[in-house]
Amino acid sequence: RPIPPPPPAHPQPPLPPFQYNNQQSSNQNAKPSVRLAAGKQWVDATLNEFPENDYRLFVGNLDKIITEQKLAEAFQSKYPSFAMCRIIYDKTSGDSKGYGFVSVLDPKDCARAIREMNQSWLGSRPIKVTRSDWKERDLREVRKGKKKKGKRR
C-alpha cells in the first residue's frame, strides 16, 4: 500500500474575529464584497463577518503582541455597543500587520472611542484610532461617486 504524501505546509489560517457575547452577524449569507483601491479590484468575503450598519474604527500602530482578545477588552469595557474586532495578519508569516478594526453599533460610542482611545496606550504603543474608510473602497460606492461627479460637469 502506498503511503500518502504529507499535506502541504500552509501558514495557519487567521483566527475568527473576536465577537462580544458570541454575536453572529446577520450578514453571514450576503454576497462577498467587491473592493477597489489603487486601481485594483478584489473580492473580500471577510467584510460579511462584521454586523450590518455598524460604525467601524481603524485601529493602527498596534504592538505585535496585541491579540484580538486584548483589543476587545480595551474597547468593550468602555463602550457598551462594542460588537467585534479583528486584527489583520500577514498571510505568509502569520504575524500581525500592526492594525485592525473595531466595530461598534452606536454612533455616539464611535465618536467617543475616537476621542478617548486615539493616542491612548495599548501594550507598549500609543494606538491610532480613526473612522474606517472601508465603505469608500466598495465597488458600488466608487461607481456611485463616479456617477455623481459626471452629473456635476
Side-chain angles (χ1 to χ4, degrees), residues 46-150:
T46 62
L47 288 175
N48 294 336
E49 296 168 359
F50 285 89
E52 229 174 298
N53 300 321
D54 67 333
Y55 295 89
R56 192 119 4 115
L57 300 170
F58 169 84
V59 183
N61 199 32
L62 290 174
D63 196 342
K64 300 281 185 197
I65 62 168
I66 297 296
T67 63
E68 287 182 357
Q69 182 71 36
K70 288 181 182 177
L71 182 60
E73 288 169 2
F75 280 84
Q76 79 186 38
S77 62
K78 296 179 181 180
Y79 310 103
S81 71
F82 170 85
M84 67 176 283
C85 68
R86 181 170 195 109
I87 294 178
I88 307 305
Y89 294 94
D90 184 272
K91 290 179 184 176
T92 55
S93 69
D95 292 337
S96 167
K97 287 191 169 186
Y99 68 94
F101 298 92
V102 171
S103 173
V104 293
L105 301 175
D106 180 25
K108 290 181 182 177
D109 279 351
C110 177
R112 216 164 49 99
I114 292 170
R115 272 194 322 269
E116 295 172 359
M117 296 296 285
N118 191 37
Q119 298 302 317
S120 67
W121 288 79
L122 186 60
S124 63
R125 293 182 177 185
I127 59 173
K128 177 155 182 67
V129 180
T130 61
R131 183 78 193 269
S132 172
D133 64 353
W134 71 275
K135 283 187 181 179
E136 295 167 12
R137 296 175 187 243
D138 187 77
L139 186 59
R140 288 172 283 199
E141 295 298 319
V142 171
R143 286 181 179 158
K144 282 183 193 175
K146 285 182 179 177
K147 284 182 184 178
K148 286 180 183 177
K149 284 182 182 177

